[in-house]
């Protein structure tokens, strides 16, 4: 049979490949738009804050720091830019970790928050704040960050280790994550119970999530985690997409599903532990970022992965702006606002598409 | 490249499912139908050949000793299309078929796209190319799964009840296409199937399994006799092989219980 012959009732003016390429162009346009939105949000984020500098001055400080006042240069380069970039890197990390956890565990509710990684990190932070106890031989704010990172890694690795046991289903792994969340929440409760009023407030502030402790050093580390894991996800993009057709079909396509799940969960662990350690508990982004991406471009990882990163970055960046402007003069904890800003957008998308996927 | 199977054992959990399955062979250019009651081990047998379930025994495809190859190596020359093709993936039909091709070979995009296009056309799927998998009916999804299989151009293609959800037009269209594909490319096609009329009409060769054992194999005329059908399925059946029309297997009544 010749490839070009068609039955008359199926005849279409354009070939299926041409139509696919058009779809791909639409997806890429959406990704480019999202990237543009992130860039704009970044600039607005840098331009907002106490000390009302005009946007042109701020932009000038960004491109030509030597031509603006020393104070403005410091405000922009040492304070605002690290915070604004941290919002983007952490937002992207959380959303990518969430996207891949949902894919790997075949569960639309999986994200660093629901799997207990954030709770473990909070407990680590509480150890530092309440008991001044460090798991790593470091001091100062790094004590807190180190603790949070170690415990977040521990929680992720517990889930990861479980997945190595033969015959453990992925549903079991999700349940394990939820159990971990309750476990660390209980431990956290104990520490809160014995804590002084002052450290309780400090702990509260940390667990609500905040970006304002960002520095270029932390930014580098958070960026490093993203730079290590993204190439791994990108290399495995076809295999990860195939996983969405179910384990058996993925295996039929020659994919060592067990090994893939192990390696990729490790990457998720690194990403989420780093993100949570630096900024505290920020829910919703890891859950909803991927869902919005899925609605916009579908689940082919070639487009789903970058789109998830961008939606996560955008949500957190917009939240960062909002946290500074909602009540003038007061910086609200960003973790409080992610849900407020993400939810309306999310609900409107769900209602518009009403489909049987996870979307 | 003939497929031969000897001394195949397979356990799932603690249960032994396949018991020393031996003496099976399937020839290139032919369609081999695998029949047997529910739970007799058809799916398990096909998965064991594909390397999806661990099994011991000898599986050869021509010169290749499949049992010595990893899952990934086997997937280069064979493909197993599973029985349940339901999915919630947010992928378009074209993306899903392209994905199947990409997990097998690295090639220039243009080559991959035209391969996908041909596969979709052969299954009359072009009008559905942009639809999302979740929005398809069960039978449409099954045809997409078959397109995902043939786009890989496997030497050994195993399909688990590929026509179970298809309407009459597509049952005939798909099986007719598969038969021509087998003849043209000289590939081995094994399909598990419950519809004995289709098996009698399209298969060149039959394998019968029951309770995890190989009961009999041979040409449809030899295997599909009223006596054998009574043994295999516990049914009373009438079988006709008209010269000028497709064969007819007419089940009359179910006899005693058919144990699982
Ligand atoms: N994961 C499993 N663990 C234990 N036993 C299993 C498992 N999967 C299937 N079985 C059992 O293995 C046997 C063979 O199952 P299989 O799916 O191969 O049958 P089948 O011939 O394909 O049946 P059907 O016609 O219903 O598709 C059945 O008795 C079934 O109950
Ligand atoms: Mg079966």
């Amino acid at each position: 049979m010749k490839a070009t012959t068609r039955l008359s009732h199926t005849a279409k003016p354009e070939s299926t490949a041409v139509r696919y390429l058009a779809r791909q162009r639409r997806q890429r346009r959406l990704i480019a738009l999202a990237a543009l939105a992130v860039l704009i949000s970044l600039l607005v984020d840098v331009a907002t804050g106490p000390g009302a500098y005009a946007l042109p001055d701020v932009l000038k400080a960004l491109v030509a720091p030597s031509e603006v006042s020393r104070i403005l240069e410091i405000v922009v380069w040492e304070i605002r830019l690290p915070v604004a970039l941290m919002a983007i890197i952490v937002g992207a990390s959380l959303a990518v970790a969430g996207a891949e956890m949902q894919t790997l565990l075949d569960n639309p509710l999986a994200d660093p928050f629901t799997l207990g990684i954030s709770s473990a990190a909070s407990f680590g932070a509480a150890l530092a704040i309440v008991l001044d106890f460090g798991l790593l031989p470091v001091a100062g704010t790094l004590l807190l960050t180190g603790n949070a990172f170690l415990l977040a890694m521990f929680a992720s690795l517990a889930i990861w280790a479980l997945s190595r046991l033969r015959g453990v289903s992925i549903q079991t792994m999700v349940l394990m994550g939820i159990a971990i969340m309750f476990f660390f929440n209980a431990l956290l409760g104990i520490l809160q119970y014995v804590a002084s009023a002052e450290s309780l407030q400090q702990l509260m502030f940390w667990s609500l999530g905040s970006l304002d402790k960002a520095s270029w050093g932390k930014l580098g580390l958070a960026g490093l985690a993203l730079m290590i894991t993204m190439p791994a996800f990108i290399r495995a993009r076809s295999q990860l997409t195939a996983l969405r057709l179910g384990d058996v079909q993925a295996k039929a396509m020659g994919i060592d599903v067990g090994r893939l799940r192990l390696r990729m969960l490790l990457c998720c662990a690194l990403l989420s532990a780093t993100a949570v350690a630096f900024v505290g508990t920020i829910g919703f982004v890891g859950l909803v970022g991927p869902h919005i991406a899925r609605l916009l471009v579908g689940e082919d990882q070639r487009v789903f992965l970058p789109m998830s990163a961008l939606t996560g970055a955008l949500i957190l960046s917009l939240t960062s702006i909002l946290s500074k402007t909602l009540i003038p003069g007061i910086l609200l904890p960003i973790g409080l606002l992610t849900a407020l800003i993400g939810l309306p957008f999310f609900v409107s998308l769900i209602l518009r598409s009403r489909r049987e996927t996870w979307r | 490249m003939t497929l031969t199977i000897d001394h195949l054992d397979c356990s799932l959990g603690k249960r032994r499912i396949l018991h020393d399955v031996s003496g099976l062979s399937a020839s290139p250019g032919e369609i081999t139908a695998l029949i047997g009651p529910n739970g007799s081990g058809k799916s398990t047998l096909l998965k064991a050949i594909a390397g999806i379930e661990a099994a011991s025994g000898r599986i050869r495809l021509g010169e290749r000793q499949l049992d010595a190859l990893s899952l990934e190596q086997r997937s280069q020359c064979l493909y197993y299309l599973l029985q349940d093709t339901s999915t919630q993936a947010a992928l378009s039909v074209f993306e899903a078929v392209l994905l199947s091709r990409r997990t097998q070979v690295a090639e220039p995009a243009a080559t991959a796209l035209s391969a996908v296009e041909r596969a979709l056309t052969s299954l009359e799927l072009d009008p559905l190319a942009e639809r999302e998998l979740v929005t398809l009916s069960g039978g449409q999804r099954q045809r997409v799964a078959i397109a995902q299989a043939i786009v890989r151009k496997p030497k050994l293609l195993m399909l688990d009840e590929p026509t179970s959800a298809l309407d009459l037009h597509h049952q005939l269209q798909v099986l007719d296409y598969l038969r021509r594909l087998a003849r043209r490319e000289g590939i081995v096609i094994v399909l598990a199937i419950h519809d004995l009329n289709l098996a009698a009409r399209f298969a060149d060769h039959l394998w019968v399994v029951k309770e995890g054992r190989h009961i009999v194999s041979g040409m449809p005329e030899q295997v599909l006799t009223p006596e054998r059908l009574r043994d295999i399925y516990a049914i009373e059946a009438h079988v006709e092989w008209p010269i000028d029309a497709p064969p007819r297997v007419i089940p009359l009544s179910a006899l005693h219980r058919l144990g699982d």
Side-chain angles (χ1 to χ4, degrees):
Chain A
M1 188 172 71
K2 266 202 247 94
T4 45
T5 54
R6 301 262 165 77
L7 297 178
S8 60
H9 68 277
T10 62
K12 281 266 171 173
E14 282 173 329
S15 80
T16 51
V18 170
R19 284 183 282 149
Y20 166 73
L21 288 173
R23 176 186 166 101
Q24 203 177 43
R25 272 195 302 278
R26 269 196 310 279
Q27 291 169 328
R28 291 195 177 145
R29 251 199 318 271
L30 279 171
I31 290 175
L33 269 176
L36 187 67
V38 170
L39 189 67
I40 292 171
S41 178
L42 173 73
L43 292 178
V44 174
D45 196 6
V46 174
T48 45
Y53 299 102
L55 183 61
D57 291 340
V58 172
L59 288 182
K60 201 166 168 196
L62 279 176
V63 276
S66 53
E67 290 174 26
V68 296
S69 74
R70 183 86 185 108
I71 297 179
L72 179 58
E73 186 192 335
I74 290 175
V75 165
V76 167
W77 281 92
E78 298 304 319
I79 301 173
R80 289 190 188 173
L81 196 57
V83 169
L85 284 174
M86 195 64 153
I88 282 168
I89 288 184
V90 166
S93 300
L94 288 173
V96 167
E100 300 310 349
M101 283 172 166
Q102 287 165 16
T103 305
L104 293 165
L105 300 178
D106 191 29
N107 193 310
L109 294 178
D111 86 332
F113 198 71
T114 48
L115 290 183
I117 296 170
S118 304
S119 305
S122 293
F123 174 67
L127 280 180
I129 294 169
V130 179
L131 302 180
D132 200 21
F133 173 77
L135 297 163
L136 286 175
V138 287
T141 54
L142 271 185
L143 182 75
L144 193 158
T145 309
N147 275 2
F149 178 79
L150 273 190
L151 274 164
M153 264 326 253
F154 171 79
S156 330
L157 291 182
I159 302 172
W160 180 74
L162 191 76
S163 78
R164 301 189 56 160
L165 300 176
R166 271 183 64 90
V168 170
S169 74
I170 43 183
Q171 282 84 354
T172 316
M173 290 168 64
V174 175
L175 285 177
M176 173 84 173
I178 292 172
I180 287 176
M181 181 177 79
F182 281 111
F183 175 68
F184 281 109
N185 280 348
L187 288 182
L188 185 64
I190 295 174
L191 282 185
Q192 283 169 337
Y193 191 71
V194 301
S196 67
E198 190 201 341
S199 46
L200 198 58
Q201 195 184 9
Q202 208 187 335
L203 182 59
M204 175 84 173
F205 190 73
W206 187 86
S207 51
L208 288 178
S210 78
L211 295 165
D212 62 339
K213 298 231 163 49
S215 65
W216 286 104
K218 290 180 180 177
L219 206 56
L221 288 177
L224 190 66
L226 208 53
M227 259 150 41
I228 292 172
T229 52
M230 276 309 257
F233 288 132
I234 291 171
R235 257 199 313 278
R237 61 192 182 278
S238 297
Q239 303 182 325
L240 286 165
T241 312
L243 219 47
R244 290 294 294 119
L245 299 170
D247 278 16
V248 179
Q249 177 124 34
K251 283 182 190 169
M253 292 180 176
I255 296 161
D256 187 337
V257 171
R259 217 182 53 192
L260 176 72
R261 194 165 270 136
L262 227 71
R263 283 207 323 261
M264 295 297 117
L265 276 178
L266 196 61
C267 290
C268 290
L270 182 63
L271 262 188
S272 32
T274 316
V276 185
F278 285 129
V279 300
T281 318
I282 295 178
F284 213 67
V285 180
L287 185 66
V288 166
H291 281 280
I292 293 174
R294 197 174 279 129
L295 277 164
L296 294 172
V297 295
E299 270 179 307
D300 190 334
Q301 297 267 342
R302 298 166 165 262
V303 283
F304 177 53
L305 187 61
M307 199 59 171
S308 296
L310 289 170
T311 46
L314 186 61
I315 293 177
L316 211 54
S317 182
L318 289 175
T319 314
S320 166
I321 298 171
L322 204 64
S323 73
K324 289 186 266 186
T325 51
L326 208 57
I327 305 175
I330 293 185
L331 179 66
L332 292 170
I334 194 164
L336 272 183
L337 293 175
T338 43
L340 288 182
I341 179 159
L343 194 74
F345 188 32
F346 183 49
V347 170
S348 76
L349 278 174
I350 297 176
L351 292 181
R352 240 192 303 155
S353 70
R354 264 187 244 111
R355 265 179 284 187
E356 295 165 43
T357 30
W358 291 347
R359 305 159 162 214
Chain B
M1 286 219 292
T2 307
L3 171 70
T4 56
I5 290 156
D6 279 300
H7 306 298
L8 195 66
D9 284 300
C10 178
S11 300
L12 299 178
K14 291 202 166 51
R15 289 187 55 197
R16 179 107 176 261
I17 308 293
L18 298 180
H19 303 265
D20 193 29
V21 173
S22 280
L24 292 178
S25 77
S27 306
E30 289 190 355
I31 288 195
T32 300
L34 170 57
I35 64 171
N38 289 142
S40 55
K42 299 182 297 297
S43 300
T44 310
L45 173 58
L46 297 183
K47 284 183 204 164
I49 297 171
I52 293 167
E53 298 292 358
S56 68
R58 245 172 46 112
I59 311 168
R60 297 189 68 93
L61 180 62
E63 293 303 299
R64 289 193 190 86
Q65 191 156 352
L66 291 184
D67 51 83
L69 300 182
S70 70
L71 179 75
E72 193 187 346
Q73 290 165 326
R74 287 189 217 192
S75 76
Q76 288 301 316
C77 63
L78 63 77
Y79 187 74
Y80 166 72
L81 170 56
L82 65 163
Q83 191 168 352
D84 177 12
T85 54
S86 63
T87 170
Q88 292 188 309
L91 294 172
S92 76
V93 168
F94 199 101
E95 280 173 340
V97 178
L98 182 61
L99 170 72
S100 181
R101 177 90 182 178
R102 280 201 176 124
T103 52
Q104 189 197 22
V105 281
E107 62 190 352
T111 322
L113 292 187
S114 65
V116 173
E117 197 165 32
R118 275 197 301 279
L120 290 176
T121 308
S122 7
L123 286 153
E124 302 180 356
L125 282 168
D126 351 23
L128 300 179
E130 278 159 295
R131 290 271 292 276
E132 302 251 326
L133 293 181
V134 275
T135 68
L136 300 181
S137 73
Q140 291 170 333
R141 212 155 40 221
Q142 199 163 34
R143 280 156 55 214
V144 173
I146 297 169
Q148 287 181 303
I150 61 168
V151 79
R152 301 169 70 95
K153 300 209 184 338
K155 302 270 180 295
L156 164 60
L157 176 55
M158 296 178 286
L159 307 113
D160 205 342
E161 302 187 26
T163 54
S164 60
L166 301 190
D167 63 44
L168 293 176
H169 169 87
H170 286 109
Q171 288 179 9
L172 297 179
Q173 193 263 330
V174 163
L175 289 174
D176 191 54
Y177 170 75
L178 288 176
R179 185 161 60 182
R180 278 184 288 123
L181 183 73
R183 305 268 192 274
R184 191 181 66 214
E185 308 285 335
I187 65 175
V188 181
I189 294 186
V190 181
L191 46 92
I193 191 163
H194 282 302
D195 187 326
L196 297 181
N197 281 295
L198 291 177
R201 176 163 172 185
F202 285 97
D204 304 290
H205 191 74
L206 289 186
W207 292 350
V208 183
V209 293
K210 188 172 182 181
E211 288 161 13
R213 291 180 175 80
H214 171 205
I215 301 289
V216 62
S217 51
M219 306 222 301
E221 294 87 335
Q222 300 163 336
V223 174
L224 297 177
T225 61
E227 301 74 45
R228 282 251 162 74
L229 291 176
R230 194 175 305 126
D231 286 350
I232 302 168
Y233 291 106
I235 55 166
E236 201 62 63
H238 176 74
V239 186
E240 285 172 30
W241 300 91
I243 306 166
D244 52 352
R248 280 198 282 272
V249 180
I250 303 159
L252 299 173
S253 61
L255 303 171
H256 52 86
R257 279 175 66 106
L258 178 62
D260 262 308

